[in-house]
Amino acid sequence: MAPVFALYIILTVLFPLFRCEDFYTTSENHVESPLCCNLTVTERIDVDYSSKVIENEYIVTFDGYYKSNARASYITAALNNSGIKSWKILSRENPASDYPSDFDVVLIEETDKSLGLDALTDHPSIKRVTSQRMVLRTLKFINTHEYVRRGRNSLSQNGQFWQATGRHTSRRLLRAIPRQITSVLQADALWNMGITGKGIKVAVFDTGLSKTHPHFRKIKERTNWTNEKTLDDGLGHGTFVAGLIASSKECLGFAPDSELHIFRVFTNNQVSYTSWFLDAFNYAILKKINVLNLSIGGPDFKDHPFVDKVWELTANRVIMVSAIGNDGPLYGTLNNPADQMDVIGVGGIDFEDHIAKFSSRGMTTWELPQGYGRVKPDIVTYGAGVRGPNIKGGCRSLSGTSVASPVVAGAVTLLASGVLHRGDDINPASVKQALIASARRIPGVNMFEQGHGKLNLVKAYQILNSYKPQASLIPSYIDLSECPYMWPYCTQPMYAGAMPVVVNVTILNGLGVSGHIIGKPQWFPYTPQNGQYLDVAFSYSELLWPWSGWLAVSLSVNPKGIGYEGVAQGHISLTVQSPPAQGESEPRQSTVILPIRAKIIPTPPRHKRLLWDQYHNLRYPPGYFPRDNLKIKNDPLDWNGDHIHTNFKDMYQHLRNSGYYIEVLGSPFNCFDASQYGTLLIVDPEEEYFPEEISKIKRDVDAGLSIIIFADWYNVTVMKRVKFYDENTRQWWMPDTGGANVPALNDLLALWGVELGNKVFDGPFKFGDHEMYYASGTSIAKFPDDGVLISQKLKDQGQQILDPDGDHEETYNAPILGLMQSKASDKSGRLVVYGDSNCIDASHMDKACYWMLDAILEYTSSAHMPLIFKNNRMIDTAAKVETDVPERMEGNKLYRYSKVLDNHLGDSQAKALPQCPQLVWAQPVPLNISAPTNFYQSQRLLSLTEETPIPIAPVSHQFRV
């Protein structure tokens, strides 16, 4: 994808998406500054971002760093031969203008720019051409109680602001929180050793800082990357972030003697541009910055050139710390660049060690549809009610992962200053290794909420001070029986015949910026602990760069374990090699062990086994796939993965609690044995279907497989209404599906005489005793007469969107649920279609309908029709609303992102059906040993010397009832 500007916000002018700096005020006093004025505990600062393309301006990225005259010659050579006459290279007025650069901004004023853009792209020294973007940041005051009620209320748990961690909730003494965040994290223990940040260059990319602010000792350099003629902070945000890192008075920062390098990348009107950030990043590399805080983020993990520049920064030994986002408690909401393997991604907790509800959760969604995402965040720390400097002096308290990020950045700066004597052994990988190895795990919280746990500054220093260069793994072990930390893996035992469980592991390489795995990983089952029942397969990065890579571990129960019930254990071993360091003659090597434990049960009965179709779900950023609920205008992209462990997490847990076993299909329908499963779940699919898949599913249903489909809206006119400008294609970008790909679903459903319509319906209704809400769903246009069809009175939301000023109070009798028995044979399965997935999708749920899912599964599993469906059956089907069947949008570009479609001479058609995944199981090397009972406690980093205890002054705690 093209750049979404350096803030990684969504590619849309119409709707701001993320709030990575949503601040919840907890100050006991009123705050007086442009950012916060007269705030009370019931208000919070809401930071919205929106972006727009700057017409006629393009970022031309080169394949290396060149002086300005060389860059100009390349651009001139490309454009002079293209026929473009009216163009110019925009001048730079910032500190980077005197140095070589890898990009320029070109203004092309001619109406037809395509020839010029193509000519630039074709030049051998030009890597890519993307549109320049402007970003607007808007600060708003919102009543926090109102915020909980609107939009996100379905995500709250009993109205609690903080996520429960499983600890007891009876009356107890409450600790009075110390005023200084540095005292809470025991930074004074390092200060007492003379470690104060001296010798470390730390960069703050934000809104600037006043030169005369009384809290700072060493503002080494202030640079302005905006078009305003000032270096000062006009908003207060940059001051607060810098203060958490390096304030020396009142509200103390962690590293008061560090060199602060202030990069002002936002104007006082809260505007920035892609090119400003790229220039600033290049300057940070030039200045040999050690630590960089980035309290920004967004959903586009494929964004270029921003991602490329982040990799380049860390490859140049810049330790980048970034906030994971404020889209919690929803899963799959981790923001980029915090989700990068080489970046330290930080989540937020409160002072009672609860995960902050606003803190985004993993898993990462890069790996879908194969396997599950990697563990993120890396670490959590205090991000709620933290005190930091005000814009002109004094202190205030703010909350958000944008607060937690500079807390960790300040801690890293302090740590790095204490180990300067270790030289090149201190790098982005080793620092992250020390942070995660020392972190204190929070009880009752899973790894996609807390990462490795709570920041432990003193322990991290002990580890870093004695650190031996090595490789390590995230997670450091796989225990599929350890709940709740290893959620979701621990929630379902393994059994023979199931889809393989895929665990994606991050490899941190402290040996060097680049490396590779020698030979192949090996699998060592433990014979005393029945490891022989497990089959293990691997895939992994060919190159570990920068400082990291990935290892995908596939686990399956082999046929020998079909009747076994118990635990199976073993370990994986792999060796990482990097080039020799300076002064060394031999390559560096490190062997790491990954312990494995899995609980195995006999294979459950067929009717209890459900298969979730992940293969036909598509999501942003590969393409523009719109959000299913059209009312959510500030969050239009479907970007949470549509996985049973992200935005369908609550549904998954409900099904597990009901006794069902759920497996995930990451390949076409031809790649599973339908005789093993009672029901196939197809929810909110955007992908097309291979003809062979449709034929195969018909045979499967005839043989007894049941199918449940939760669809969503599809209307070409509405799709055109939610368009936005795509930087990659330099044109207005239409979504290539609606909420779901209804035309593709109709191809599948035609086998049973079922069709979905093109109208978009919305509204509340009552189903039996249950309050329901239909949120931007489709309707059933055609259904067999011998099936059960259920309708409700709903409004035409599509007309409301297309004609917002009209009168749209009329309701229509829209069929929304259909249930039918296939008649192919006595053993045939059943088909259920519901036109809206929002009632099982936690990302924008109005009212949950898990009760209805239970009733549907009762029908598909046993053929018993629940009374609620019988009693609400539509008798007069002639009274249903008339609706057309949708056709695919003419000229759609779904083939660009599809695994199924191929564009042949402008006509999309199906590709050849791919081969089903064939895992190559590793040859087991059995060992007659037993594993430790606690993998977590047994994991340690290798040290050069024994860790030296640090004397910690006792902290006086005040208690109150």
Side-chain angles (χ1 to χ4, degrees), residues 476-589:
S476 58
Y477 64 91
I478 299 173
D479 187 347
L480 305 188
S481 65
E482 182 190 3
C483 269
Y485 183 72
M486 283 274 171
W487 187 97
Y489 304 105
C490 64
T491 61
Q492 182 167 297
M494 297 183 65
Y495 45 85
M499 292 287 170
V501 173
V502 184
V503 182
N504 280 296
V505 177
T506 298
I507 304 171
L508 287 179
N509 182 22
L511 302 174
V513 65
S514 65
H516 65 277
I517 294 175
I518 297 178
K520 295 180 180 180
Q522 286 187 290
W523 163 235
F524 296 91
Y526 300 160
T527 52
Q529 294 168 307
N530 302 292
Q532 68 274 13
Y533 294 139
L534 286 178
D535 283 336
V536 180
F538 314 104
S539 59
Y540 46 89
S541 306
E542 293 185 8
L543 175 67
L544 308 180
W545 183 90
W547 310 103
S548 58
W550 53 268
L551 167 71
V553 180
S554 298
L555 302 170
S556 185
V557 178
N558 58 48
K560 292 182 293 184
I562 193 167
Y564 174 69
E565 183 167 5
V567 173
Q569 295 188 198
H571 77 255
I572 295 167
S573 176
L574 60 92
T575 299
V576 173
Q577 178 174 290
S578 288
Q582 186 174 3
E584 297 176 351
S585 58
E586 297 296 325
R588 289 183 163 190
Q589 287 191 5

Side-chain angles (χ1 to χ4, degrees), residues 303-326:
D303 189 15
H304 296 286
F306 194 92
V307 169
D308 292 347
K309 192 58 65 177
V310 168
W311 291 341
E312 187 179 349
L313 280 160
T314 53
N316 279 276
R317 312 186 78 88
V318 178
I319 302 168
M320 181 173 286
V321 183
S322 183
I324 66 168
N326 289 345

Side-chain angles (χ1 to χ4, degrees), residues 199-321:
I200 299 299
K201 300 176 181 179
V202 56
V204 177
F205 278 58
D206 222 287
T207 60
L209 178 66
S210 170
K211 183 179 182 180
T212 59
H213 196 288
H215 285 195
F216 299 94
R217 292 177 186 166
K218 292 187 177 180
I219 303 176
K220 181 68 175 180
E221 184 179 29
R222 297 184 304 153
T223 52
N224 178 33
W225 306 87
T226 75
N227 55 14
E228 292 181 338
K229 304 302 182 181
T230 180
L231 293 164
D232 291 344
D233 180 8
L235 296 173
H237 182 259
T239 302
F240 188 91
V241 170
L244 291 177
I245 296 172
S247 173
S248 62
K249 294 181 180 179
E250 297 185 68
C251 32
L252 300 177
F254 287 86
D257 288 327
S258 61
E259 289 186 6
L260 266 182
H261 292 252
I262 303 300
F263 289 72
R264 188 175 188 268
V265 291
F266 273 104
T267 68
N268 286 332
N269 291 328
Q270 304 167 59
V271 173
S272 191
Y273 290 84
T274 304
S275 58
W276 294 356
F277 258 77
L278 297 179
D279 267 335
F281 280 144
N282 283 339
Y283 192 72
I285 295 172
L286 182 71
K287 287 293 182 176
K288 299 186 184 299
I289 293 297
N290 304 117
V291 180
L292 191 154
N293 182 75
L294 207 60
S295 289
I296 61 174
D300 193 349
F301 54 77
K302 290 192 172 183
D303 189 15
H304 296 286
F306 194 92
V307 169
D308 292 347
K309 192 58 65 177
V310 168
W311 291 341
E312 187 179 349
L313 280 160
T314 53
N316 279 276
R317 312 186 78 88
V318 178
I319 302 168
M320 181 173 286
V321 183

Side-chain angles (χ1 to χ4, degrees), residues 706-761:
S706 292
I707 299 178
I708 298 174
I709 294 175
F710 281 83
D712 263 299
W713 67 273
Y714 188 101
N715 181 282
V716 171
T717 308
V718 173
M719 289 159 62
K720 292 178 180 178
R721 189 63 175 255
V722 295
K723 66 182 180 180
F724 63 77
Y725 192 85
D726 172 36
E727 301 171 358
N728 192 40
T729 60
R730 297 179 289 275
Q731 62 187 1
W732 282 98
W733 198 11
M734 306 289 180
D736 294 304
T737 70
N741 190 341
V742 171
L745 277 175
N746 280 342
D747 289 346
L748 186 69
L749 291 171
L751 298 170
W752 299 279
V754 178
E755 288 183 330
L756 299 172
N758 73 340
K759 288 186 181 295
V760 185
F761 291 103

Side-chain angles (χ1 to χ4, degrees), residues 35 61 132 240 266 461 485 606 609 658 763 773 901 923:
L35 186 61
T61 305
Q132 170 82 301
F240 188 91
F266 273 104
Y461 171 73
Y485 183 72
R606 178 184 184 184
R609 293 178 62 183
S658 299
Y773 197 93
L901 295 180
Q923 183 66 36

